[in-house]
Amino acid sequence: RPTLFELTDEYTKVQDYKMLTDAVLLNSVVFKPLFGPKADPNLRATIKVIKNHFTNASDSEIRSAVLNQMNSYFGIDNWNFGDTFYFSELSTYLHNTLAPNVASIIIVPNSTDIAFGGLLQINSNPDEIMISAATADNVQIISAITAAQINQTLAGLGIVV
């Protein structure tokens, strides 16, 4: 990650093209990978997809389509420094672009330390831009949403038997 001095030295000519009243701010960017193996362990997750019973699309076709649409959603032009990720927005986007093949989509943290719902909102720092690091291993086609599918147990729900 370049320092402020290195950025200023590298982009010194940019200062020549600014207007008198303009200011040029140089900052280094940090990409914040989400979901896949390149993500911080607390940001790794599995995207679980229930496919529409009436579709002829195979599981691998749906998995591939989900990954392609996630990569589009996390395109660099769609994000600003410090933006917050909301799974509800990604889920809506995936439902709209993958209809009618997909019935439902959930996100399940891979870490047992994070409860279901713990990744519904992810904040980034002012110098970070989020990107998807999801791979085919991070997208799972399931038949129904059950406690087992969302990594919940009776003990995890606070229920004592």
Side-chain angles (χ1 to χ4, degrees):
R1 182 172 161 180
T3 66
L4 182 57
F5 176 75
E6 292 168 333
L7 287 171
T8 302
D9 188 48
E10 184 70 27
Y11 294 97
T12 190
K13 294 205 184 290
V14 171
Q15 298 288 343
D16 297 338
Y17 296 101
K18 71 177 182 75
M19 298 299 278
L20 184 60
T21 59
D22 289 342
V24 176
L25 301 175
L26 301 172
N27 287 309
S28 187
V29 64
V30 175
F31 289 102
K32 185 173 191 166
L34 303 178
F35 316 126
K38 293 181 181 178
D40 179 274
N42 288 331
L43 298 177
R44 294 180 187 164
T46 301
I47 308 299
K48 297 193 177 189
V49 179
I50 298 176
K51 91 176 166 180
N52 188 329
H53 296 299
F54 302 107
T55 185
N56 291 328
S58 69
D59 288 1
S60 61
E61 288 173 320
I62 291 176
R63 185 177 295 110
S64 178
V66 167
L67 288 170
N68 287 335
Q69 292 305 320
M70 285 178 64
N71 288 336
S72 293
Y73 181 83
F74 283 100
I76 192 76
D77 293 336
N78 298 334
W79 294 87
N80 291 313
F81 295 105
D83 276 352
T84 299
F85 164 78
Y86 298 98
F87 180 73
S88 59
E89 293 176 358
L90 173 61
S91 176
T92 299
Y93 175 81
L94 292 174
H95 277 100
N96 288 336
T97 58
L98 300 174
N101 294 332
V102 170
S104 188
I105 301 169
I106 60 172
I107 185 169
V108 179
N110 289 354
S111 172
T112 56
D113 295 335
I114 301 173
F116 177 74
L119 295 178
L120 295 179
Q121 177 180 329
I122 301 171
N123 299 317
S124 65
N125 293 324
D127 65 340
E128 293 178 321
I129 292 183
M130 290 181 263
I131 59 170
S132 175
T135 66
D137 292 335
N138 303 108
V139 179
Q140 184 180 18
I141 311 301
I142 60 175
S143 59
I145 299 173
T146 64
Q149 291 294 351
I150 59 174
N151 295 341
Q152 295 294 303
T153 63
L154 290 178
L157 294 173
I159 299 172
V160 179
V161 180

